[in-house]
Amino acid sequence: MSTFRVRRRIEIDAGHRIMTHGSKCRNLHGHRYVVEVECEASRLHPSGEQTDMVVDFGFLKDEMMRLIDAPCDHGFIASAADGELLALFAPQGAAGWTESILAEVKAKGAALTTSTRMGTKLYVVPFQPTAECLAKHWFEVLVAPVRTRSDSTARLVAVRVWETPNCMAEYAPA
Ligand SMILES: Nc1nc2c(c(=O)[nH]1)N=C([C@H](O)[C@H](O)COP(=O)(O)OP(=O)(O)OP(=O)(O)O)CN2
């Protein structure tokens, strides 16, 4: 049986910190993240606007921009467990702000807000924002849209996240 594979990348700029890191990554810092998705199919579309494709690269870009770039580019990605960091973003005098963010993370798997002390973009996730965990998170948010946009032809098989040109993590469930 044949297998066709396609890959699509986007790049975003975002801040984060790894609060448990034993060294420099405890500091607030940023990366120009490269995020790559890989999809495969055993057959190409036989007809329609995606004829002879696994999935239109443009459709992959649309979904990556909607689900990764829009919430995270030029934002800060924070762990819901990083109370000291969330306190920096909490608006002064806004009682219950942290609790409502944590409730949204629990209900939806992540929370996006610009209602922060400086009005800046904050994306809160229920894990430490390592490259490994971000790859898994973005896999989970993209798996259904890839299926839908490809009319069930393409299957998302891997998400890769580069923090630097030299450091990459991959999530590819068995
Ligand atoms: N397995 C992982 N290790 C580390 C992660 C991670 O997400 N997964 N993250 C970090 C830090 O966020 C750090 O910014 C990147 O690590 P490091 O290689 O130490 O950074 P450099 O700036 O030295 O990278 P260069 O490519 O050499 O410029 C740490 N570890």
Side-chain angles (χ1 to χ4, degrees):
M1 192 174 74
S2 312
T3 302
F4 297 94
R5 293 200 181 92
V6 297
R7 297 180 185 185
R8 168 87 217 189
R9 289 176 178 214
I10 63 166
E11 300 188 12
I12 62 165
D13 300 287
H16 81 153
R17 82 157 182 149
I18 310 299
M19 67 175 179
T20 54
H21 194 245
S23 179
K24 60 186 178 183
C25 298
R26 291 188 82 242
N27 296 307
L28 308 188
H29 65 282
H31 295 286
R32 181 162 181 86
Y33 287 99
V34 177
V35 186
E36 178 180 274
V37 302
E38 180 174 331
C39 304
E40 70 176 29
S42 55
R43 63 172 181 90
L44 303 179
H45 279 85
S47 60
E49 64 175 324
Q50 296 185 78
T51 297
D52 292 341
M53 298 175 182
V54 171
V55 55
D56 188 330
F57 290 129
F59 292 175
L60 288 179
K61 181 180 178 183
D62 289 347
E63 298 305 324
M64 294 170 84
M65 296 303 281
R66 180 171 72 88
L67 295 164
I68 301 173
D69 182 279
C72 298
D73 183 50
H74 285 80
F76 200 95
I77 305 171
S79 166
D82 196 343
E84 288 170 313
L85 179 59
L86 293 182
L88 291 178
F89 282 92
Q92 279 171 323
W97 181 87
T98 304
E99 290 73 13
S100 74
I101 295 279
L102 296 182
E104 188 174 340
V105 170
K106 194 170 178 189
K108 298 182 181 169
L112 171 65
T113 183
T114 53
S115 298
T116 57
R117 185 172 300 215
M118 294 175 287
T120 57
K121 193 193 269 188
L122 178 68
Y123 189 68
V124 184
V125 289
F127 50 78
Q128 291 231 80
T130 61
E132 290 92 330
C133 290
L134 288 170
K136 180 171 186 281
H137 176 66
W138 286 327
F139 187 100
E140 289 167 353
V141 301
L142 283 164
V143 66
V146 164
R147 195 183 311 121
T148 303
R149 294 299 299 270
S150 72
D151 303 323
S152 298
T153 293
R155 190 171 70 87
L156 182 62
V157 291
V159 172
R160 302 183 183 93
V161 174
W162 281 259
E163 275 197 349
T164 79
N166 307 311
C167 302
M168 183 273 281
E170 175 182 275
Y171 181 71

